[in-house]
Amino acid sequence: TLKFNQKGKHKIYAIVKDINNCFDTLVHHLSVYSPKAKILMDTNEGCAPLQVNFFDASMSDTNIVSCLWNFGDGGTSQLENPSHNFVSKSDRKFKISLLVTDTFGCTGISKGVQYVQVRRPSAFFYFDDKELCAQDSLKILGLNVNDSLYKWDFGDGSNSNQINPGKVYVNGGTFPVVLEVVDHYGCVGSYSPMDSIKVHDLPDPQFSANDTSMSCYPSSVVFTNTNVYNNGLSWEWSFGDGAPLIST
């Protein structure tokens, strides 16, 4: 068994000699094929989602009958010149490979390391507390601070371009918060937590008295809580006369 490590045409010699020292030579020509896979692409970096057009520039002494592309993200193609859309939630490199097969079943795989660089800036963040009272400050944590541009949408019609802005909700409600980040390549990333910010209105204490003008001392006055928020609240009364606070 002979193994040929180089493609091309090879001469095989067989020399036969008999007992009379007579000999003859047989020459056989053998062609060894080895296609060389080569990848070309119209771009190798850009913002996500990124569509790249690939071209088979392989070389072979005979016809190439099949191609198998691997795009490094789980996607493949058997087209000769495919296009592929790369999607990523962050900056990421995808390794590209090409396997070609010629008419004799010989195969060749692309040499070297070829990548597609997909860019998407990180916009991740989270809240210190997802439930606030009106007038409380929203605390934002987990930011990846870099040279990007920031655009915040706080869901109540207000926004900010600061990296880590201070935010106070004046009124109660449920507010989705969205962050959009633009890096120095012009690539955009955005993020919004699944849970919106829930802001509770401040209670508005109100009460009435059965008598507000008295001439005799001591006098008895009945105070009535008229607050419309009656569920789960506690009250603390101060009557202005130095008496201890009364909680109900």
Side-chain angles (χ1 to χ4, degrees), residues 1-33:
T1 300
L2 295 177
K3 181 179 180 180
F4 295 88
N5 295 318
Q6 293 183 342
K7 69 174 186 177
K9 294 183 177 180
H10 302 269
K11 289 183 179 181
I12 310 299
Y13 295 90
I15 302 174
V16 181
K17 183 182 294 187
D18 63 16
I19 59 175
N20 298 312
N21 208 29
C22 298
F23 64 90
D24 195 7
T25 301
L26 174 65
V27 180
H28 181 74
H29 295 276
L30 176 67
S31 295
V32 177
Y33 299 98

PDB file of all heavy atoms in Angstrom, residues 1-33:
ATOM      1  N   THR A   1       0.848  -1.185   0.000  1.00  0.00           N
ATOM      2  CA  THR A   1       0.000   0.000   0.000  1.00  0.00           C
ATOM      3  C   THR A   1       0.889   1.243   0.000  1.00  0.00           C
ATOM      4  O   THR A   1       1.803   1.365   0.823  1.00  0.00           O
ATOM      5  CB  THR A   1      -0.903   0.014   1.239  1.00  0.00           C
ATOM      6  OG1 THR A   1      -1.727  -1.154   1.246  1.00  0.00           O
ATOM      7  CG2 THR A   1      -1.788   1.258   1.217  1.00  0.00           C
ATOM      8  N   LEU A   2       0.597   2.141  -0.916  1.00  0.00           N
ATOM      9  CA  LEU A   2       1.332   3.398  -1.019  1.00  0.00           C
ATOM     10  C   LEU A   2       0.425   4.552  -0.622  1.00  0.00           C
ATOM     11  O   LEU A   2      -0.763   4.566  -0.944  1.00  0.00           O
ATOM     12  CB  LEU A   2       1.842   3.609  -2.443  1.00  0.00           C
ATOM     13  CG  LEU A   2       2.885   2.612  -2.961  1.00  0.00           C
ATOM     14  CD1 LEU A   2       3.226   2.922  -4.409  1.00  0.00           C
ATOM     15  CD2 LEU A   2       4.146   2.663  -2.101  1.00  0.00           C
ATOM     16  N   LYS A   3       0.992   5.526   0.100  1.00  0.00           N
ATOM     17  CA  LYS A   3       0.255   6.711   0.486  1.00  0.00           C
ATOM     18  C   LYS A   3       0.938   7.916  -0.140  1.00  0.00           C
ATOM     19  O   LYS A   3       2.129   8.143   0.043  1.00  0.00           O
ATOM     20  CB  LYS A   3       0.214   6.851   2.011  1.00  0.00           C
ATOM     21  CG  LYS A   3      -0.575   8.061   2.480  1.00  0.00           C
ATOM     22  CD  LYS A   3      -0.613   8.139   4.014  1.00  0.00           C
ATOM     23  CE  LYS A   3      -1.405   9.345   4.466  1.00  0.00           C
ATOM     24  NZ  LYS A   3      -1.442   9.423   5.958  1.00  0.00           N
ATOM     25  N   PHE A   4       0.149   8.704  -0.897  1.00  0.00           N
ATOM     26  CA  PHE A   4       0.676   9.885  -1.552  1.00  0.00           C
ATOM     27  C   PHE A   4       0.220  11.123  -0.771  1.00  0.00           C
ATOM     28  O   PHE A   4      -0.973  11.342  -0.587  1.00  0.00           O
ATOM     29  CB  PHE A   4       0.181   9.960  -3.000  1.00  0.00           C
ATOM     30  CG  PHE A   4       0.696   8.836  -3.866  1.00  0.00           C
ATOM     31  CD1 PHE A   4       0.002   7.630  -3.958  1.00  0.00           C
ATOM     32  CD2 PHE A   4       1.876   8.983  -4.572  1.00  0.00           C
ATOM     33  CE1 PHE A   4       0.478   6.600  -4.749  1.00  0.00           C
ATOM     34  CE2 PHE A   4       2.359   7.960  -5.366  1.00  0.00           C
ATOM     35  CZ  PHE A   4       1.664   6.755  -5.453  1.00  0.00           C
ATOM     36  N   ASN A   5       1.172  11.922  -0.302  1.00  0.00           N
ATOM     37  CA  ASN A   5       0.871  13.101   0.493  1.00  0.00           C
ATOM     38  C   ASN A   5       0.805  14.378  -0.331  1.00  0.00           C
ATOM     39  O   ASN A   5       0.433  15.429   0.189  1.00  0.00           O
ATOM     40  CB  ASN A   5       1.921  13.280   1.590  1.00  0.00           C
ATOM     41  CG  ASN A   5       1.890  12.151   2.605  1.00  0.00           C
ATOM     42  OD1 ASN A   5       0.814  11.714   3.016  1.00  0.00           O
ATOM     43  ND2 ASN A   5       3.071  11.670   2.987  1.00  0.00           N
ATOM     44  N   GLN A   6       1.191  14.283  -1.610  1.00  0.00           N
ATOM     45  CA  GLN A   6       1.149  15.446  -2.480  1.00  0.00           C
ATOM     46  C   GLN A   6       0.296  15.144  -3.696  1.00  0.00           C
ATOM     47  O   GLN A   6       0.324  14.039  -4.245  1.00  0.00           O
ATOM     48  CB  GLN A   6       2.557  15.838  -2.927  1.00  0.00           C
ATOM     49  CG  GLN A   6       3.441  16.357  -1.796  1.00  0.00           C
ATOM     50  CD  GLN A   6       4.808  16.790  -2.305  1.00  0.00           C
ATOM     51  OE1 GLN A   6       5.221  16.420  -3.398  1.00  0.00           O
ATOM     52  NE2 GLN A   6       5.510  17.588  -1.508  1.00  0.00           N
ATOM     53  N   LYS A   7      -0.499  16.146  -4.057  1.00  0.00           N
ATOM     54  CA  LYS A   7      -1.322  15.960  -5.243  1.00  0.00           C
ATOM     55  C   LYS A   7      -0.460  16.110  -6.498  1.00  0.00           C
ATOM     56  O   LYS A   7       0.694  16.554  -6.449  1.00  0.00           O
ATOM     57  CB  LYS A   7      -2.455  16.980  -5.268  1.00  0.00           C
ATOM     58  CG  LYS A   7      -2.006  18.408  -5.511  1.00  0.00           C
ATOM     59  CD  LYS A   7      -3.206  19.325  -5.658  1.00  0.00           C
ATOM     60  CE  LYS A   7      -2.754  20.736  -6.040  1.00  0.00           C
ATOM     61  NZ  LYS A   7      -3.895  21.639  -6.269  1.00  0.00           N
ATOM     62  N   GLY A   8      -1.015  15.722  -7.634  1.00  0.00           N
ATOM     63  CA  GLY A   8      -0.312  15.832  -8.905  1.00  0.00           C
ATOM     64  C   GLY A   8      -0.213  14.482  -9.606  1.00  0.00           C
ATOM     65  O   GLY A   8      -0.818  13.489  -9.188  1.00  0.00           O
ATOM     66  N   LYS A   9       0.567  14.442 -10.651  1.00  0.00           N
ATOM     67  CA  LYS A   9       0.752  13.212 -11.423  1.00  0.00           C
ATOM     68  C   LYS A   9       2.030  12.505 -10.978  1.00  0.00           C
ATOM     69  O   LYS A   9       3.081  13.124 -10.851  1.00  0.00           O
ATOM     70  CB  LYS A   9       0.807  13.529 -12.914  1.00  0.00           C
ATOM     71  CG  LYS A   9      -0.517  14.058 -13.464  1.00  0.00           C
ATOM     72  CD  LYS A   9      -0.452  14.294 -14.965  1.00  0.00           C
ATOM     73  CE  LYS A   9      -1.806  14.760 -15.493  1.00  0.00           C
ATOM     74  NZ  LYS A   9      -1.777  14.996 -16.978  1.00  0.00           N
ATOM     75  N   HIS A  10       1.927  11.228 -10.740  1.00  0.00           N
ATOM     76  CA  HIS A  10       3.043  10.419 -10.266  1.00  0.00           C
ATOM     77  C   HIS A  10       3.259   9.239 -11.210  1.00  0.00           C
ATOM     78  O   HIS A  10       2.291   8.667 -11.726  1.00  0.00           O
ATOM     79  CB  HIS A  10       2.763   9.908  -8.844  1.00  0.00           C
ATOM     80  CG  HIS A  10       2.510  10.998  -7.853  1.00  0.00           C
ATOM     81  ND1 HIS A  10       3.507  11.577  -7.104  1.00  0.00           N
ATOM     82  CD2 HIS A  10       1.349  11.625  -7.501  1.00  0.00           C
ATOM     83  CE1 HIS A  10       2.976  12.501  -6.312  1.00  0.00           C
ATOM     84  NE2 HIS A  10       1.664  12.548  -6.535  1.00  0.00           N
ATOM     85  N   LYS A  11       4.528   8.884 -11.426  1.00  0.00           N
ATOM     86  CA  LYS A  11       4.863   7.703 -12.228  1.00  0.00           C
ATOM     87  C   LYS A  11       5.160   6.534 -11.305  1.00  0.00           C
ATOM     88  O   LYS A  11       5.956   6.637 -10.382  1.00  0.00           O
ATOM     89  CB  LYS A  11       6.075   7.975 -13.112  1.00  0.00           C
ATOM     90  CG  LYS A  11       5.804   8.920 -14.263  1.00  0.00           C
ATOM     91  CD  LYS A  11       7.043   9.081 -15.144  1.00  0.00           C
ATOM     92  CE  LYS A  11       6.770  10.003 -16.323  1.00  0.00           C
ATOM     93  NZ  LYS A  11       7.978  10.128 -17.190  1.00  0.00           N
ATOM     94  N   ILE A  12       4.502   5.437 -11.560  1.00  0.00           N
ATOM     95  CA  ILE A  12       4.706   4.214 -10.792  1.00  0.00           C
ATOM     96  C   ILE A  12       5.467   3.225 -11.687  1.00  0.00           C
ATOM     97  O   ILE A  12       5.014   2.902 -12.794  1.00  0.00           O
ATOM     98  CB  ILE A  12       3.379   3.594 -10.342  1.00  0.00           C
ATOM     99  CG1 ILE A  12       2.488   4.665  -9.657  1.00  0.00           C
ATOM    100  CG2 ILE A  12       3.630   2.420  -9.417  1.00  0.00           C
ATOM    101  CD1 ILE A  12       3.108   5.257  -8.432  1.00  0.00           C
ATOM    102  N   TYR A  13       6.652   2.764 -11.230  1.00  0.00           N
ATOM    103  CA  TYR A  13       7.485   1.845 -12.013  1.00  0.00           C
ATOM    104  C   TYR A  13       7.420   0.447 -11.392  1.00  0.00           C
ATOM    105  O   TYR A  13       7.547   0.305 -10.165  1.00  0.00           O
ATOM    106  CB  TYR A  13       8.938   2.310 -12.039  1.00  0.00           C
ATOM    107  CG  TYR A  13       9.146   3.635 -12.750  1.00  0.00           C
ATOM    108  CD1 TYR A  13       9.078   4.832 -12.036  1.00  0.00           C
ATOM    109  CD2 TYR A  13       9.438   3.671 -14.110  1.00  0.00           C
ATOM    110  CE1 TYR A  13       9.283   6.035 -12.668  1.00  0.00           C
ATOM    111  CE2 TYR A  13       9.640   4.880 -14.748  1.00  0.00           C
ATOM    112  CZ  TYR A  13       9.567   6.066 -14.037  1.00  0.00           C
ATOM    113  OH  TYR A  13       9.773   7.256 -14.670  1.00  0.00           O
ATOM    114  N   ALA A  14       7.241  -0.540 -12.278  1.00  0.00           N
ATOM    115  CA  ALA A  14       7.310  -1.945 -11.846  1.00  0.00           C
ATOM    116  C   ALA A  14       8.358  -2.646 -12.721  1.00  0.00           C
ATOM    117  O   ALA A  14       8.200  -2.722 -13.953  1.00  0.00           O
ATOM    118  CB  ALA A  14       5.956  -2.628 -11.984  1.00  0.00           C
ATOM    119  N   ILE A  15       9.433  -3.089 -12.091  1.00  0.00           N
ATOM    120  CA  ILE A  15      10.528  -3.741 -12.821  1.00  0.00           C
ATOM    121  C   ILE A  15      10.502  -5.237 -12.496  1.00  0.00           C
ATOM    122  O   ILE A  15      10.557  -5.625 -11.324  1.00  0.00           O
ATOM    123  CB  ILE A  15      11.882  -3.137 -12.453  1.00  0.00           C
ATOM    124  CG1 ILE A  15      11.880  -1.622 -12.762  1.00  0.00           C
ATOM    125  CG2 ILE A  15      13.005  -3.845 -13.181  1.00  0.00           C
ATOM    126  CD1 ILE A  15      13.126  -0.917 -12.284  1.00  0.00           C
ATOM    127  N   VAL A  16      10.419  -6.040 -13.551  1.00  0.00           N
ATOM    128  CA  VAL A  16      10.333  -7.492 -13.389  1.00  0.00           C
ATOM    129  C   VAL A  16      11.606  -8.139 -13.979  1.00  0.00           C
ATOM    130  O   VAL A  16      11.993  -7.828 -15.103  1.00  0.00           O
ATOM    131  CB  VAL A  16       9.090  -8.067 -14.088  1.00  0.00           C
ATOM    132  CG1 VAL A  16       9.023  -9.578 -13.887  1.00  0.00           C
ATOM    133  CG2 VAL A  16       7.830  -7.386 -13.575  1.00  0.00           C
ATOM    134  N   LYS A  17      12.265  -9.015 -13.189  1.00  0.00           N
ATOM    135  CA  LYS A  17      13.477  -9.701 -13.652  1.00  0.00           C
ATOM    136  C   LYS A  17      13.285 -11.207 -13.461  1.00  0.00           C
ATOM    137  O   LYS A  17      12.800 -11.659 -12.421  1.00  0.00           O
ATOM    138  CB  LYS A  17      14.688  -9.231 -12.843  1.00  0.00           C
ATOM    139  CG  LYS A  17      16.006  -9.825 -13.300  1.00  0.00           C
ATOM    140  CD  LYS A  17      17.157  -9.366 -12.430  1.00  0.00           C
ATOM    141  CE  LYS A  17      17.385  -7.868 -12.582  1.00  0.00           C
ATOM    142  NZ  LYS A  17      18.631  -7.458 -11.836  1.00  0.00           N
ATOM    143  N   ASP A  18      13.680 -11.984 -14.500  1.00  0.00           N
ATOM    144  CA  ASP A  18      13.517 -13.443 -14.386  1.00  0.00           C
ATOM    145  C   ASP A  18      14.850 -14.095 -13.999  1.00  0.00           C
ATOM    146  O   ASP A  18      15.829 -13.410 -13.732  1.00  0.00           O
ATOM    147  CB  ASP A  18      12.963 -14.037 -15.692  1.00  0.00           C
ATOM    148  CG  ASP A  18      13.898 -13.836 -16.877  1.00  0.00           C
ATOM    149  OD1 ASP A  18      15.084 -13.515 -16.653  1.00  0.00           O
ATOM    150  OD2 ASP A  18      13.455 -13.984 -18.019  1.00  0.00           O
ATOM    151  N   ILE A  19      14.871 -15.461 -13.997  1.00  0.00           N
ATOM    152  CA  ILE A  19      16.059 -16.180 -13.551  1.00  0.00           C
ATOM    153  C   ILE A  19      17.223 -16.070 -14.540  1.00  0.00           C
ATOM    154  O   ILE A  19      18.369 -16.345 -14.197  1.00  0.00           O
ATOM    155  CB  ILE A  19      15.733 -17.659 -13.302  1.00  0.00           C
ATOM    156  CG1 ILE A  19      15.198 -18.308 -14.590  1.00  0.00           C
ATOM    157  CG2 ILE A  19      14.733 -17.810 -12.164  1.00  0.00           C
ATOM    158  CD1 ILE A  19      14.962 -19.805 -14.454  1.00  0.00           C
ATOM    159  N   ASN A  20      16.902 -15.643 -15.734  1.00  0.00           N
ATOM    160  CA  ASN A  20      17.940 -15.471 -16.747  1.00  0.00           C
ATOM    161  C   ASN A  20      18.462 -14.038 -16.774  1.00  0.00           C
ATOM    162  O   ASN A  20      19.189 -13.661 -17.694  1.00  0.00           O
ATOM    163  CB  ASN A  20      17.415 -15.865 -18.129  1.00  0.00           C
ATOM    164  CG  ASN A  20      17.014 -17.334 -18.190  1.00  0.00           C
ATOM    165  OD1 ASN A  20      17.789 -18.204 -17.745  1.00  0.00           O
ATOM    166  ND2 ASN A  20      15.832 -17.614 -18.709  1.00  0.00           N
ATOM    167  N   ASN A  21      18.070 -13.307 -15.774  1.00  0.00           N
ATOM    168  CA  ASN A  21      18.487 -11.911 -15.643  1.00  0.00           C
ATOM    169  C   ASN A  21      17.904 -11.005 -16.718  1.00  0.00           C
ATOM    170  O   ASN A  21      18.423  -9.941 -17.026  1.00  0.00           O
ATOM    171  CB  ASN A  21      20.009 -11.783 -15.642  1.00  0.00           C
ATOM    172  CG  ASN A  21      20.476 -10.555 -14.866  1.00  0.00           C
ATOM    173  OD1 ASN A  21      19.797 -10.125 -13.933  1.00  0.00           O
ATOM    174  ND2 ASN A  21      21.625 -10.016 -15.244  1.00  0.00           N
ATOM    175  N   CYS A  22      16.818 -11.482 -17.312  1.00  0.00           N
ATOM    176  CA  CYS A  22      16.092 -10.643 -18.265  1.00  0.00           C
ATOM    177  C   CYS A  22      15.067  -9.826 -17.477  1.00  0.00           C
ATOM    178  O   CYS A  22      14.462 -10.316 -16.517  1.00  0.00           O
ATOM    179  CB  CYS A  22      15.390 -11.501 -19.311  1.00  0.00           C
ATOM    180  SG  CYS A  22      16.531 -12.483 -20.318  1.00  0.00           S
ATOM    181  N   PHE A  23      14.860  -8.601 -17.879  1.00  0.00           N
ATOM    182  CA  PHE A  23      13.904  -7.761 -17.124  1.00  0.00           C
ATOM    183  C   PHE A  23      13.131  -6.872 -18.079  1.00  0.00           C
ATOM    184  O   PHE A  23      13.497  -6.635 -19.216  1.00  0.00           O
ATOM    185  CB  PHE A  23      14.654  -6.905 -16.087  1.00  0.00           C
ATOM    186  CG  PHE A  23      15.598  -5.899 -16.680  1.00  0.00           C
ATOM    187  CD1 PHE A  23      15.157  -4.613 -16.995  1.00  0.00           C
ATOM    188  CD2 PHE A  23      16.929  -6.224 -16.923  1.00  0.00           C
ATOM    189  CE1 PHE A  23      16.035  -3.694 -17.534  1.00  0.00           C
ATOM    190  CE2 PHE A  23      17.789  -5.286 -17.458  1.00  0.00           C
ATOM    191  CZ  PHE A  23      17.359  -4.022 -17.759  1.00  0.00           C
ATOM    192  N   ASP A  24      12.032  -6.387 -17.547  1.00  0.00           N
ATOM    193  CA  ASP A  24      11.179  -5.449 -18.273  1.00  0.00           C
ATOM    194  C   ASP A  24      10.626  -4.439 -17.262  1.00  0.00           C
ATOM    195  O   ASP A  24      10.513  -4.729 -16.066  1.00  0.00           O
ATOM    196  CB  ASP A  24      10.039  -6.173 -18.988  1.00  0.00           C
ATOM    197  CG  ASP A  24       9.364  -5.274 -20.030  1.00  0.00           C
ATOM    198  OD1 ASP A  24       9.866  -4.160 -20.273  1.00  0.00           O
ATOM    199  OD2 ASP A  24       8.316  -5.684 -20.583  1.00  0.00           O
ATOM    200  N   THR A  25      10.279  -3.294 -17.782  1.00  0.00           N
ATOM    201  CA  THR A  25       9.774  -2.214 -16.906  1.00  0.00           C
ATOM    202  C   THR A  25       8.380  -1.800 -17.351  1.00  0.00           C
ATOM    203  O   THR A  25       8.134  -1.575 -18.546  1.00  0.00           O
ATOM    204  CB  THR A  25      10.703  -0.996 -16.962  1.00  0.00           C
ATOM    205  OG1 THR A  25      12.026  -1.385 -16.548  1.00  0.00           O
ATOM    206  CG2 THR A  25      10.187   0.116 -16.028  1.00  0.00           C
ATOM    207  N   LEU A  26       7.500  -1.703 -16.354  1.00  0.00           N
ATOM    208  CA  LEU A  26       6.125  -1.233 -16.593  1.00  0.00           C
ATOM    209  C   LEU A  26       5.965   0.125 -15.906  1.00  0.00           C
ATOM    210  O   LEU A  26       6.283   0.263 -14.737  1.00  0.00           O
ATOM    211  CB  LEU A  26       5.099  -2.223 -16.042  1.00  0.00           C
ATOM    212  CG  LEU A  26       3.635  -1.786 -16.105  1.00  0.00           C
ATOM    213  CD1 LEU A  26       3.173  -1.640 -17.552  1.00  0.00           C
ATOM    214  CD2 LEU A  26       2.743  -2.762 -15.353  1.00  0.00           C
ATOM    215  N   VAL A  27       5.489   1.087 -16.651  1.00  0.00           N
ATOM    216  CA  VAL A  27       5.262   2.437 -16.114  1.00  0.00           C
ATOM    217  C   VAL A  27       3.762   2.716 -16.087  1.00  0.00           C
ATOM    218  O   VAL A  27       3.066   2.528 -17.096  1.00  0.00           O
ATOM    219  CB  VAL A  27       5.982   3.514 -16.948  1.00  0.00           C
ATOM    220  CG1 VAL A  27       5.717   4.906 -16.348  1.00  0.00           C
ATOM    221  CG2 VAL A  27       7.464   3.237 -17.019  1.00  0.00           C
ATOM    222  N   HIS A  28       3.297   3.156 -14.908  1.00  0.00           N
ATOM    223  CA  HIS A  28       1.883   3.501 -14.765  1.00  0.00           C
ATOM    224  C   HIS A  28       1.784   4.936 -14.257  1.00  0.00           C
ATOM    225  O   HIS A  28       2.474   5.315 -13.313  1.00  0.00           O
ATOM    226  CB  HIS A  28       1.181   2.554 -13.774  1.00  0.00           C
ATOM    227  CG  HIS A  28      -0.278   2.845 -13.616  1.00  0.00           C
ATOM    228  ND1 HIS A  28      -1.210   2.529 -14.574  1.00  0.00           N
ATOM    229  CD2 HIS A  28      -0.968   3.441 -12.596  1.00  0.00           C
ATOM    230  CE1 HIS A  28      -2.413   2.890 -14.170  1.00  0.00           C
ATOM    231  NE2 HIS A  28      -2.290   3.469 -12.970  1.00  0.00           N
ATOM    232  N   HIS A  29       0.929   5.724 -14.875  1.00  0.00           N
ATOM    233  CA  HIS A  29       0.742   7.124 -14.481  1.00  0.00           C
ATOM    234  C   HIS A  29      -0.458   7.230 -13.539  1.00  0.00           C
ATOM    235  O   HIS A  29      -1.564   6.764 -13.856  1.00  0.00           O
ATOM    236  CB  HIS A  29       0.522   8.008 -15.714  1.00  0.00           C
ATOM    237  CG  HIS A  29       1.717   8.057 -16.612  1.00  0.00           C
ATOM    238  ND1 HIS A  29       2.786   8.910 -16.419  1.00  0.00           N
ATOM    239  CD2 HIS A  29       2.026   7.318 -17.726  1.00  0.00           C
ATOM    240  CE1 HIS A  29       3.689   8.720 -17.361  1.00  0.00           C
ATOM    241  NE2 HIS A  29       3.253   7.757 -18.183  1.00  0.00           N
ATOM    242  N   LEU A  30      -0.211   7.856 -12.397  1.00  0.00           N
ATOM    243  CA  LEU A  30      -1.254   7.982 -11.378  1.00  0.00           C
ATOM    244  C   LEU A  30      -1.447   9.454 -11.042  1.00  0.00           C
ATOM    245  O   LEU A  30      -0.487  10.170 -10.761  1.00  0.00           O
ATOM    246  CB  LEU A  30      -0.855   7.223 -10.105  1.00  0.00           C
ATOM    247  CG  LEU A  30      -1.809   7.332  -8.917  1.00  0.00           C
ATOM    248  CD1 LEU A  30      -3.133   6.649  -9.222  1.00  0.00           C
ATOM    249  CD2 LEU A  30      -1.174   6.738  -7.671  1.00  0.00           C
ATOM    250  N   SER A  31      -2.720   9.895 -11.109  1.00  0.00           N
ATOM    251  CA  SER A  31      -3.059  11.276 -10.754  1.00  0.00           C
ATOM    252  C   SER A  31      -3.678  11.299  -9.360  1.00  0.00           C
ATOM    253  O   SER A  31      -4.619  10.552  -9.064  1.00  0.00           O
ATOM    254  CB  SER A  31      -4.048  11.879 -11.765  1.00  0.00           C
ATOM    255  OG  SER A  31      -3.446  11.985 -13.046  1.00  0.00           O
ATOM    256  N   VAL A  32      -3.114  12.145  -8.494  1.00  0.00           N
ATOM    257  CA  VAL A  32      -3.626  12.306  -7.125  1.00  0.00           C
ATOM    258  C   VAL A  32      -4.273  13.690  -7.022  1.00  0.00           C
ATOM    259  O   VAL A  32      -3.649  14.708  -7.327  1.00  0.00           O
ATOM    260  CB  VAL A  32      -2.492  12.169  -6.088  1.00  0.00           C
ATOM    261  CG1 VAL A  32      -3.028  12.420  -4.677  1.00  0.00           C
ATOM    262  CG2 VAL A  32      -1.855  10.791  -6.191  1.00  0.00           C
ATOM    263  N   TYR A  33      -5.520  13.699  -6.605  1.00  0.00           N
ATOM    264  CA  TYR A  33      -6.277  14.947  -6.526  1.00  0.00           C
ATOM    265  C   TYR A  33      -6.465  15.365  -5.068  1.00  0.00           C
ATOM    266  O   TYR A  33      -6.696  14.532  -4.192  1.00  0.00           O
ATOM    267  CB  TYR A  33      -7.636  14.803  -7.208  1.00  0.00           C
ATOM    268  CG  TYR A  33      -7.534  14.467  -8.675  1.00  0.00           C
ATOM    269  CD1 TYR A  33      -7.664  13.152  -9.121  1.00  0.00           C
ATOM    270  CD2 TYR A  33      -7.281  15.474  -9.601  1.00  0.00           C
ATOM    271  CE1 TYR A  33      -7.563  12.852 -10.472  1.00  0.00           C
ATOM    272  CE2 TYR A  33      -7.176  15.178 -10.956  1.00  0.00           C
ATOM    273  CZ  TYR A  33      -7.317  13.863 -11.379  1.00  0.00           C
ATOM    274  OH  TYR A  33      -7.205  13.567 -12.709  1.00  0.00           O
TER     275      TYR A  33
END
